[in-house]
Short mmCIF file of all heavy atoms in Angstrom, two decimals:
data_model
loop_
_atom_site.label_atom_id
_atom_site.label_comp_id
_atom_site.label_asym_id
_atom_site.label_seq_id
_atom_site.Cartn_x
_atom_site.Cartn_y
_atom_site.Cartn_z
N ALA A 1 -6.22 9.11 77.91
CA ALA A 1 -6.41 10.19 76.90
C ALA A 1 -5.03 10.59 76.36
O ALA A 1 -4.09 10.86 77.13
CB ALA A 1 -7.04 11.42 77.53
N THR A 2 -4.94 10.59 75.05
CA THR A 2 -3.69 10.94 74.35
C THR A 2 -3.93 12.13 73.48
O THR A 2 -4.90 12.16 72.70
CB THR A 2 -3.24 9.73 73.49
OG1 THR A 2 -3.16 8.55 74.28
CG2 THR A 2 -1.88 9.98 72.87
N ARG A 3 -3.06 13.13 73.57
CA ARG A 3 -3.16 14.29 72.74
C ARG A 3 -2.66 13.95 71.28
O ARG A 3 -1.58 13.42 71.12
CB ARG A 3 -2.38 15.49 73.28
CG ARG A 3 -2.96 15.93 74.60
CD ARG A 3 -2.25 17.19 75.12
NE ARG A 3 -2.84 17.59 76.35
CZ ARG A 3 -3.98 18.25 76.55
NH1 ARG A 3 -4.66 18.62 75.50
NH2 ARG A 3 -4.43 18.54 77.78
N GLU A 4 -3.49 14.30 70.32
CA GLU A 4 -3.15 14.04 68.93
C GLU A 4 -3.48 15.31 68.14
O GLU A 4 -4.04 16.24 68.69
CB GLU A 4 -4.00 12.88 68.35
CG GLU A 4 -3.73 11.59 69.06
CD GLU A 4 -2.39 10.92 68.78
OE1 GLU A 4 -1.69 11.38 67.83
OE2 GLU A 4 -2.02 10.00 69.50
N HIS A 5 -3.13 15.32 66.85
CA HIS A 5 -3.47 16.48 66.01
C HIS A 5 -4.05 16.02 64.70
O HIS A 5 -3.54 15.05 64.08
CB HIS A 5 -2.18 17.32 65.69
CG HIS A 5 -1.75 18.10 66.89
ND1 HIS A 5 -0.92 17.57 67.83
CD2 HIS A 5 -2.01 19.38 67.26
CE1 HIS A 5 -0.69 18.51 68.79
NE2 HIS A 5 -1.34 19.59 68.44
N PHE A 6 -5.12 16.65 64.30
CA PHE A 6 -5.67 16.48 62.94
C PHE A 6 -5.17 17.70 62.18
O PHE A 6 -5.25 18.83 62.71
CB PHE A 6 -7.19 16.43 62.95
CG PHE A 6 -7.73 16.33 61.57
CD1 PHE A 6 -7.83 15.11 60.94
CD2 PHE A 6 -8.12 17.48 60.90
CE1 PHE A 6 -8.30 15.00 59.66
CE2 PHE A 6 -8.59 17.40 59.57
CZ PHE A 6 -8.68 16.15 58.97
N VAL A 7 -4.73 17.52 61.00
CA VAL A 7 -4.22 18.63 60.16
C VAL A 7 -5.22 18.92 59.06
O VAL A 7 -5.44 18.09 58.19
CB VAL A 7 -2.81 18.34 59.63
CG1 VAL A 7 -2.35 19.53 58.78
CG2 VAL A 7 -1.83 18.03 60.74
N PHE A 8 -5.83 20.07 59.13
CA PHE A 8 -6.71 20.54 58.06
C PHE A 8 -5.87 21.01 56.92
O PHE A 8 -4.90 21.73 57.10
CB PHE A 8 -7.59 21.71 58.56
CG PHE A 8 -8.60 21.26 59.56
CD1 PHE A 8 -8.34 21.40 60.91
CD2 PHE A 8 -9.85 20.71 59.21
CE1 PHE A 8 -9.28 21.01 61.89
CE2 PHE A 8 -10.76 20.30 60.12
CZ PHE A 8 -10.49 20.45 61.50
N ARG A 9 -6.21 20.55 55.73
CA ARG A 9 -5.50 20.94 54.52
C ARG A 9 -6.49 21.46 53.45
O ARG A 9 -7.33 20.70 52.99
CB ARG A 9 -4.73 19.75 53.98
CG ARG A 9 -3.66 19.22 54.90
CD ARG A 9 -2.97 17.97 54.40
NE ARG A 9 -2.07 17.41 55.37
CZ ARG A 9 -0.83 17.78 55.58
NH1 ARG A 9 -0.33 18.74 54.84
NH2 ARG A 9 -0.11 17.22 56.52
N TYR A 10 -6.33 22.70 53.11
CA TYR A 10 -7.18 23.39 52.15
C TYR A 10 -6.36 24.23 51.23
O TYR A 10 -5.23 24.54 51.54
CB TYR A 10 -8.30 24.21 52.85
CG TYR A 10 -9.30 23.36 53.52
CD1 TYR A 10 -9.11 22.89 54.86
CD2 TYR A 10 -10.46 22.98 52.88
CE1 TYR A 10 -10.04 22.08 55.44
CE2 TYR A 10 -11.39 22.18 53.48
CZ TYR A 10 -11.17 21.69 54.75
OH TYR A 10 -12.11 20.91 55.38
N ARG A 11 -6.91 24.65 50.11
CA ARG A 11 -6.21 25.48 49.15
C ARG A 11 -5.86 26.86 49.73
O ARG A 11 -4.91 27.48 49.34
CB ARG A 11 -7.03 25.62 47.86
CG ARG A 11 -7.16 24.31 47.09
CD ARG A 11 -7.80 24.52 45.72
NE ARG A 11 -9.11 25.09 45.81
CZ ARG A 11 -10.25 24.40 45.82
NH1 ARG A 11 -10.20 23.09 45.72
NH2 ARG A 11 -11.42 24.99 45.86
N SER A 12 -6.71 27.30 50.66
CA SER A 12 -6.56 28.61 51.27
C SER A 12 -7.46 28.71 52.49
O SER A 12 -8.33 27.86 52.68
CB SER A 12 -6.89 29.74 50.31
OG SER A 12 -8.31 29.63 49.98
N ALA A 13 -7.29 29.74 53.28
CA ALA A 13 -8.22 29.99 54.38
C ALA A 13 -9.62 30.24 53.86
O ALA A 13 -10.59 29.76 54.46
CB ALA A 13 -7.75 31.22 55.22
N GLN A 14 -9.75 30.89 52.72
CA GLN A 14 -11.08 31.13 52.11
C GLN A 14 -11.73 29.81 51.71
O GLN A 14 -12.94 29.64 51.89
CB GLN A 14 -10.94 32.06 50.91
CG GLN A 14 -10.56 33.46 51.23
CD GLN A 14 -9.09 33.66 51.46
OE1 GLN A 14 -8.26 32.74 51.26
NE2 GLN A 14 -8.71 34.84 51.99
N HIS A 15 -10.94 28.90 51.21
CA HIS A 15 -11.47 27.55 50.80
C HIS A 15 -11.93 26.81 52.03
O HIS A 15 -12.99 26.20 52.07
CB HIS A 15 -10.40 26.74 50.04
CG HIS A 15 -10.79 25.42 49.65
ND1 HIS A 15 -10.06 24.29 49.87
CD2 HIS A 15 -11.93 24.94 49.03
CE1 HIS A 15 -10.65 23.24 49.44
NE2 HIS A 15 -11.79 23.60 48.89
N TRP A 16 -11.13 26.86 53.14
CA TRP A 16 -11.54 26.24 54.40
C TRP A 16 -12.84 26.82 54.87
O TRP A 16 -13.80 26.08 55.23
CB TRP A 16 -10.45 26.42 55.45
CG TRP A 16 -10.87 26.10 56.86
CD1 TRP A 16 -10.94 24.87 57.39
CD2 TRP A 16 -11.30 27.01 57.83
NE1 TRP A 16 -11.38 24.95 58.70
CE2 TRP A 16 -11.60 26.26 59.01
CE3 TRP A 16 -11.49 28.42 57.90
CZ2 TRP A 16 -12.09 26.85 60.18
CZ3 TRP A 16 -11.91 28.98 59.06
CH2 TRP A 16 -12.22 28.23 60.20
N LEU A 17 -12.95 28.16 54.88
CA LEU A 17 -14.15 28.85 55.37
C LEU A 17 -15.38 28.44 54.50
O LEU A 17 -16.43 28.13 55.05
CB LEU A 17 -13.98 30.35 55.35
CG LEU A 17 -15.20 31.16 55.80
CD1 LEU A 17 -15.60 30.78 57.21
CD2 LEU A 17 -14.91 32.62 55.70
N ALA A 18 -15.22 28.44 53.20
CA ALA A 18 -16.34 28.09 52.31
C ALA A 18 -16.80 26.65 52.59
O ALA A 18 -18.03 26.42 52.68
CB ALA A 18 -15.96 28.23 50.86
N THR A 19 -15.88 25.72 52.78
CA THR A 19 -16.24 24.32 53.06
C THR A 19 -16.95 24.25 54.40
O THR A 19 -18.03 23.62 54.52
CB THR A 19 -14.97 23.45 53.03
OG1 THR A 19 -14.37 23.58 51.76
CG2 THR A 19 -15.35 21.98 53.31
N PHE A 20 -16.37 24.79 55.42
CA PHE A 20 -16.97 24.78 56.77
C PHE A 20 -18.30 25.48 56.84
O PHE A 20 -19.22 25.05 57.54
CB PHE A 20 -15.99 25.30 57.82
CG PHE A 20 -15.13 24.24 58.44
CD1 PHE A 20 -14.36 23.41 57.65
CD2 PHE A 20 -15.03 24.12 59.81
CE1 PHE A 20 -13.55 22.43 58.20
CE2 PHE A 20 -14.22 23.14 60.41
CZ PHE A 20 -13.52 22.27 59.61
N ARG A 21 -18.38 26.60 56.17
CA ARG A 21 -19.61 27.39 56.16
C ARG A 21 -20.76 26.54 55.59
O ARG A 21 -21.93 26.72 56.00
CB ARG A 21 -19.43 28.67 55.38
CG ARG A 21 -20.54 29.62 55.49
CD ARG A 21 -20.21 30.97 54.87
NE ARG A 21 -21.34 31.85 54.91
CZ ARG A 21 -21.27 33.13 54.71
NH1 ARG A 21 -20.10 33.71 54.37
NH2 ARG A 21 -22.35 33.87 54.80
N ASN A 22 -20.49 25.70 54.65
CA ASN A 22 -21.52 24.91 53.99
C ASN A 22 -21.76 23.56 54.65
O ASN A 22 -22.86 22.98 54.53
CB ASN A 22 -21.20 24.68 52.52
CG ASN A 22 -21.35 25.92 51.69
OD1 ASN A 22 -22.33 26.67 51.86
ND2 ASN A 22 -20.43 26.22 50.84
N TYR A 23 -20.76 23.01 55.31
CA TYR A 23 -20.92 21.63 55.78
C TYR A 23 -20.66 21.35 57.26
O TYR A 23 -20.91 20.24 57.75
CB TYR A 23 -19.95 20.71 54.94
CG TYR A 23 -20.25 20.76 53.51
CD1 TYR A 23 -19.38 21.42 52.63
CD2 TYR A 23 -21.40 20.18 52.94
CE1 TYR A 23 -19.66 21.47 51.27
CE2 TYR A 23 -21.68 20.26 51.64
CZ TYR A 23 -20.81 20.88 50.75
OH TYR A 23 -21.06 20.94 49.45
N TYR A 24 -20.11 22.31 57.99
CA TYR A 24 -19.79 22.07 59.40
C TYR A 24 -20.91 22.67 60.26
O TYR A 24 -21.09 23.90 60.33
CB TYR A 24 -18.45 22.69 59.77
CG TYR A 24 -17.97 22.36 61.14
CD1 TYR A 24 -17.70 21.03 61.49
CD2 TYR A 24 -17.71 23.30 62.12
CE1 TYR A 24 -17.23 20.69 62.80
CE2 TYR A 24 -17.26 23.01 63.39
CZ TYR A 24 -17.04 21.69 63.72
OH TYR A 24 -16.58 21.36 64.97
N GLY A 25 -21.64 21.77 60.94
CA GLY A 25 -22.82 22.16 61.66
C GLY A 25 -22.81 23.42 62.53
O GLY A 25 -23.58 24.34 62.29
N PRO A 26 -21.81 23.56 63.42
CA PRO A 26 -21.81 24.73 64.27
C PRO A 26 -21.63 26.02 63.43
O PRO A 26 -22.24 27.03 63.74
CB PRO A 26 -20.58 24.52 65.16
CG PRO A 26 -20.47 23.00 65.22
CD PRO A 26 -20.87 22.53 63.87
N MET A 27 -20.81 25.99 62.38
CA MET A 27 -20.60 27.18 61.59
C MET A 27 -21.77 27.43 60.70
O MET A 27 -22.22 28.59 60.53
CB MET A 27 -19.29 27.03 60.79
CG MET A 27 -18.82 28.37 60.25
SD MET A 27 -17.33 28.27 59.27
CE MET A 27 -16.13 27.74 60.45
#
């Protein structure tokens, strides 16, 4: 197991939330 990082890149926190709210299953 190797620790890695995925970097989320969005126009803003609001843009991230809107995207995740519509497309990320748990949210």
Side-chain angles (χ1 to χ4, degrees):
T2 307
R3 293 185 183 280
E4 300 289 347
H5 288 86
F6 177 83
V7 180
F8 291 96
R9 297 176 188 275
Y10 288 87
R11 293 187 301 264
S12 65
Q14 291 80 9
H15 179 229
W16 168 80
L17 178 59
T19 302
F20 267 52
R21 188 172 178 166
N22 288 317
Y23 301 108
Y24 188 61
M27 197 182 294

